[in-house]
């Protein structure tokens, strides 16, 4: 087995290669120093993958990384790989998982169609709605990134795990099973891309240390609103924990409401504190 890492997932690709004791194939992402002035992407495999089972690891966020993923998959196939497994740690476009309004693209499925051109199977992580994977044209599995958060939170002195909305209950409960901590949830209504409203609810958090657990932190609006509610109810310490930390726009300012912010390495950021390499290594082994 050989591992190829895209430019946005190179740390994680190295870690997974170590876990599997597999060979990491070096890739060049620039033809000339500084890349193409028009921002087009470039990839070149620097070792042979002919006849190999190749695992290509690359999150599809931001957009340029989608193109890079497709170039890598095509280059790997052209080079004669026998089998190509896509590992997409953070599946960008995954949240547009249905046609909410007539005429919309179901973006998660659109991306999957293109992945399926060269890849035989797909592993991704903590999808917003894993049910969408059943509609993909290739075998696709959702791997949970929550155990990695659980490993960190276990030693973080947490009294309660809080899901900011109903979709996140399963993440808080899964983390709670690892930390041995109770969980609760809020009810959230999204007003626009930046604003959410939370239904007031008595949480019994006075003097307590609480971790808000979610799949994604994007603008940090959800976390900031939940953290404000916790503070107003007397929480002593507020931790934000997510699998996928995008941290766009005002996220850093929004997250000042928290004492600590934890994200995994599905998207590398200054808040990356835990690795999901063990989870992906186990899932790759299980593919057989
Ligand atoms: C949506 O339901 C997700 O689970 C997250 O809560 C959401 O994507 C977070 O976005 P933001 O950080 O922009 O509030």
């Amino acid at each position: 087995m050989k591992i190829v890492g895209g430019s946005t997932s190179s740390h994680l690709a190295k870690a997974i290669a170590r876990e599997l004791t597999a060979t990491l194939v070096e890739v060049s992402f620039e033809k000339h120093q500084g890349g193409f002035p028009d921002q087009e992407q470039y990839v070149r495999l620097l070792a042979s993958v002919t006849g190999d089972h190749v695992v290509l690891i690359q999150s599809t966020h931001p957009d340029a990384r989608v193109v890079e993923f497709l170039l890598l998959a095509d280059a790997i196939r052209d080079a004669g790989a026998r089998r190509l497994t896509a590992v997409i740690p953070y599946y960008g476009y995954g949240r547009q998982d249905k046609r909410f309004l007539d005429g919309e693209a179901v973006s998660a499925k659109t991306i999957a169609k293109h992945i399926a051109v060269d890849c035989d199977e797909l592993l991704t992580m903590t999808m917003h709605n894993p049910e969408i994977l059943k509609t993909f044209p290739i075998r696709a599995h959702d791997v949970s990134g929550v155990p990695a958060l659980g490993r960190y939170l276990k030693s973080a002195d947490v009294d309660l795990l809080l899901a900011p909305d109903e979709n996140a209950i399963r993440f808080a409960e899964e983390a709670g099973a690892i930390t041995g901590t109770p969980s609760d949830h809020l009810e959230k209504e999204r007003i626009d891309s930046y604003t959410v409203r939370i239904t007031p609810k008595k949480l019994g958090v006075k003097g307590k240390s609480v971790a808000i657990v979610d799949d994604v932190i994007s603008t940090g609006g959800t976390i900031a609103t939940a953290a404000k509610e916790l503070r107003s109810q007397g929480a002593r310490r507020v931790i934000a924990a997510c699998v996928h930390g995008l941290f766009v726009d005002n996220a850093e300012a929004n997250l000042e409401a928290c004492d600590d912010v934890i994200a995994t390495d599905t998207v590398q950021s200054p808040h990356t504190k835990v690795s999901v390499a063990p989870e992906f290594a186990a899932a790759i082994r299980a593919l057989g």
Side-chain angles (χ1 to χ4, degrees), residues 29 36-37 44 63 72 82 96 116 118 124 150 154 200 213 229 264 271 279 281 287:
F29 297 102
F36 291 131
R44 180 176 172 223
D63 284 6
L72 280 167
R82 167 176 55 84
Q96 178 75 17
D118 284 308
T124 184
K154 203 168 178 177
V213 182
E229 182 65 23
T264 77
H271 300 296
E279 280 67 36
L287 286 173

Side-chain angles (χ1 to χ4, degrees), residues 95 128 164-165 167-168 171 188 190 193 196 214-223:
R95 284 176 290 173
H128 190 67
D165 57 33
N167 184 51
F171 310 131
K188 174 181 102 177
R190 184 161 284 287
S193 304
V196 298
D214 210 348
D215 53 348
V216 180
I217 297 178
S218 179
T219 67
T222 299
I223 294 290

Side-chain angles (χ1 to χ4, degrees), residues 4-11 13 27 29 56-58 65 68 72:
V4 175
S7 64
T8 200
S9 299
S10 54
H11 279 85
V27 179
F29 297 102
L56 168 58
I57 301 168
Q58 166 88 319
R65 304 288 78 88
E68 193 186 272
L72 280 167

